[in-house]
């Protein structure tokens, strides 16, 4: 007997009660623990935001200082992890490298003491601290270079850019990267967060939780859209080609990358923030034609699709910003993961607080009473 209607993708079905983030897709509101994303982007930094998401309240000055210091002092990865990563094929996708490395981290910390706040804090610190190091290390090693050691003088985002590019970043670039991390840190019950909660509900370790969420984020329907935005802008190639490109997509009923959102029916508030950051970045480091193409796309797509609630989403501008920061396209999703670790860990902790293992049901549509045919007779 089917007790309730089956919804593909569980669309609209609550999978948890949560106090972590809130989205109003009609009004274009996103809040982390009740605080508007615009306020956090303007005044907070990524580690403070991560603390807010995970522990539910903004830290005091002392708490923040201690937390930042703990994360800073745990940024190095073990030589054995580095050696393992060195043996990964350089042609492999960095998301796969990250998933394997996050899972491998759990091998070194196999004790599970899930109700001990000290264990929880250690795991949070270790994962937040080392995920960026692992992303940067894979990037350098696949180019045949040795990874760069974390720089203790630099803040979280600046240190990440430093490890990635082997030089100290411009302060504006570092601030913009930090805001990008804030904007991607959490977004209610998306696929990777659901995956994190399902994994958490089995009471496995947090490294497995993050590894499973990284695997889920890697697919093109979730984390990969900003890579596709860049490919699309490159394909369009010039401002003059924008209108014909959009028209041809609409004729073919093809989706225009970076536009539309399952929840937001107005402009994604994160896209508005990112657009301003992109303007600052391009003003300081020079315009490029892809930014001009993007601006023209926003105008043309609004003309054609605003009546359907289709506006730019967070992925439309994030790819442009990362590209301008000199980041290779296939690192865009790993950067999303660096940020989203904060949200996943918040959901891990929340899941443990009132845990019940996920065990949904199914609608069986197979056959019954089929006789086994011996292999010789098939
Ligand atoms: N380009 C052109 N048309 C779009 C569109 C886009 N990016 N997104 C939605 N539409 C149109 C649909 O064709 C549909 O039109 P119809 O009613 O005439 O059939 C209508 O808007 C509703 O779209 P629907 O597919 O039902 O929306 P959704 O909520 O299921 O999809 C997305 C949301 C995000 C999957 C979708 O907008 C999309 O694929 N966007 C591009 C990929 C992307 O940027 N993903 C990142 C999301 S953060």
């Amino acid at each position: 007997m089917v007790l309730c209607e089956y919804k593909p993708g569980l669309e609209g079905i609550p999978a948890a009660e949560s106090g972590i983030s809130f989205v109003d897709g009609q009004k274009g509101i996103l809040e982390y623990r009740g605080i508007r994303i615009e306020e956090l982007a303007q005044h907070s930094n990524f580690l403070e935001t991560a603390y807010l998401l995970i522990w539910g309240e903004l830290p005091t000055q002392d708490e923040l200082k201690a937390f930042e210091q703990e994360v800073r002092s745990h940024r190095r990865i073990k030589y054995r992890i580095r050696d393992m990563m060195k043996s990964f094929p350089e042609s492999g996708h960095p998301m796969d490298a990250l998933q394997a490395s996050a899972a491998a981290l759990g091998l070194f910390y196999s004790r599970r003491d899930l109700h001990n706040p000290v264990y929880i804090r250690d795991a949070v610190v270790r994962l937040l601290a080392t995920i960026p190091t692992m992303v940067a290390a894979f990037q350098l090693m696949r180019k045949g270079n040795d990874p760069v050691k974390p720089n203790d003088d630099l803040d979280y985002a600046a240190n990440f850019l430093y490890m990635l590019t082997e030089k100290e970043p411009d302060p504006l670039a570092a601030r913009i990267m930090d805001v990008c991390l804030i904007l991607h840190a959490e977004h209610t019950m998306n696929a990777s967060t659901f995956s994190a909660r399902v994994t958490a509900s089995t009471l496995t370790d947090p490294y497995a939780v993050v590894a499973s969420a990284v695997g889920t984020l890697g697919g093109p329907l979730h984390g990969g859209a900003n890579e596709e935005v860049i490919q699309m802008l490159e394909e369009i190639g010039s401002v003059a080609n924008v209108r014909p490109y959009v028209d041809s997509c609409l004729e073919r009923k093809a989706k225009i990358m970076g536009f539309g959102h399952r929840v937001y029916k107005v402009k994604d508030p994160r896209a508005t923030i990112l657009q301003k950051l992109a303007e600052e970045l391009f003003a300081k480091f020079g315009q490029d034609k892809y930014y001009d193409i993007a601006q023209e796309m926003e105008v043309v797509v609004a003309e054609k699709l605003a009546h359907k609630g289709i506006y730019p989403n967070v992925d439309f501008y994030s790819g442009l910003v990362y590209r301008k920061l000199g980041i290779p396209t296939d690192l865009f999703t790993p950067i999303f993961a660096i940020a989203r670790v904060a949200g996943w860990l918040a959901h891990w902790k929340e899941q443990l607080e009132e845990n019940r293992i996920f065990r949904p049901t199914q609608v069986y549509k197979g056959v019954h009473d089929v006789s086994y045919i011996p292999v010789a007779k098939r």
Side-chain angles (χ1 to χ4, degrees):
M1 185 177 63
V2 179
L3 295 177
C4 59
E5 192 193 343
Y6 162 60
K7 296 270 181 107
L10 301 184
E11 187 178 347
I13 297 179
E17 288 184 323
S18 180
I20 300 170
S21 65
F22 169 80
V23 172
D24 182 330
Q26 300 299 329
K27 296 192 183 134
I29 293 172
L30 169 60
E31 293 172 339
Y32 294 169
R33 300 284 186 185
I35 303 178
R36 288 278 190 112
I37 192 67
E38 291 82 358
E39 279 199 66
L40 291 167
Q42 195 177 349
H43 304 295
S44 187
N45 63 46
F46 173 66
L47 281 186
E48 183 185 58
T49 298
Y51 188 105
L52 168 74
L53 288 167
I54 295 164
W55 281 284
E57 288 177 352
L58 285 170
T60 62
Q61 272 184 38
D62 287 349
E63 284 168 341
L64 180 60
K65 216 168 138 201
F67 183 56
E68 284 177 340
Q69 191 43 45
E70 268 176 76
V71 171
R72 201 177 287 248
S73 62
H74 283 84
R75 285 171 179 167
R76 291 191 183 189
I77 48 171
K78 290 181 177 295
Y79 285 115
R80 288 166 75 183
I81 296 256
R82 198 195 62 180
D83 290 347
M84 178 195 78
M85 294 182 77
K86 223 175 205 168
S87 66
F88 291 167
E90 53 281 357
S91 58
H93 197 285
M95 278 300 272
D96 296 333
L98 181 59
Q99 188 187 22
S101 313
L105 206 56
L107 287 166
F108 293 92
Y109 306 98
S110 52
R111 185 176 63 97
R112 271 179 219 157
D113 196 0
L114 299 177
H115 295 293
N116 179 349
V118 176
Y119 173 86
I120 290 182
R121 183 165 174 124
D122 279 358
V124 164
V125 164
R126 193 169 293 116
L127 279 157
L128 285 169
T130 53
I131 294 277
T133 313
M134 295 194 287
V135 171
F138 183 67
Q139 167 61 10
L140 293 197
M141 288 192 289
R142 70 177 170 167
K143 291 196 299 184
N145 301 347
D146 279 333
V148 171
K149 287 202 177 72
N151 183 336
D152 289 346
D153 296 332
L154 296 176
D155 289 340
Y156 192 85
N159 173 60
F160 171 62
L161 287 175
Y162 165 78
M163 291 188 298
L164 202 59
T165 60
E166 304 179 81
K167 52 180 193 291
E168 275 196 34
D170 174 274
L172 177 68
R175 173 66 192 151
I176 287 179
M177 175 50 72
D178 196 59
V179 177
C180 288
L181 296 180
I182 294 175
L183 298 180
H184 287 85
E186 161 65 8
H187 208 245
T188 72
M189 197 55 64
N190 51 80
S192 60
T193 300
F194 182 48
S195 165
R197 284 194 84 120
V198 172
T199 310
S201 80
T202 69
L203 302 186
T204 185
D205 65 74
Y207 307 97
V209 169
V210 167
S212 75
V214 170
T216 311
L217 183 68
L221 295 186
H222 191 359
N226 56 10
E227 288 188 30
E228 295 193 33
V229 169
I230 293 299
Q231 280 158 16
M232 174 186 76
L233 296 176
E234 285 172 354
E235 189 189 324
I236 294 173
S238 74
V239 171
N241 286 343
V242 168
R243 200 167 280 276
Y245 179 87
V246 171
D247 286 340
S248 124
C249 286
L250 296 181
E251 260 170 47
R252 289 180 284 122
K253 289 201 169 296
K255 294 267 165 62
I256 302 161
M257 287 297 126
F259 287 85
H261 197 278
R262 177 55 58 81
V263 184
Y264 295 113
K265 298 302 164 203
V266 292
K267 189 164 171 179
D268 182 334
R270 299 165 301 171
T272 308
I273 298 167
L274 268 169
Q275 186 175 11
K276 287 203 193 95
L277 295 179
E279 272 164 22
E280 278 182 58
L281 192 67
F282 284 91
K284 178 153 185 186
F285 297 109
Q287 301 292 333
D288 77 32
K289 70 173 180 178
Y290 297 108
Y291 183 66
D292 299 336
I293 296 172
Q295 297 226 299
E296 176 71 2
M297 281 211 76
E298 189 168 349
V299 173
V300 175
V301 174
E303 235 176 66
K304 314 256 177 190
L305 289 174
H307 68 282
K308 285 190 186 174
I310 309 295
Y311 292 95
N313 58 47
V314 66
D315 291 315
F316 188 58
Y317 284 103
S318 63
L320 272 174
V321 166
Y322 297 151
R323 190 176 183 281
K324 192 68 184 169
L325 292 175
I327 295 170
T329 311
D330 64 359
L331 290 188
F332 295 177
T333 317
I335 292 173
F336 189 160
I338 291 173
R340 193 52 65 84
V341 165
W344 294 330
L345 290 173
H347 281 271
W348 166 60
K349 195 166 161 292
E350 188 175 67
Q351 182 65 34
L352 293 182
E353 281 157 15
E354 278 184 49
N355 188 48
R356 183 129 204 244
I357 187 168
F358 277 90
R359 199 348 180 155
T361 184
Q362 62 167 14
V363 180
Y364 179 67
K365 57 176 201 178
V367 292
H368 292 283
D369 294 329
V370 179
S371 300
Y372 175 78
I373 304 168
V375 68
K377 294 200 173 160
R378 275 178 248 151

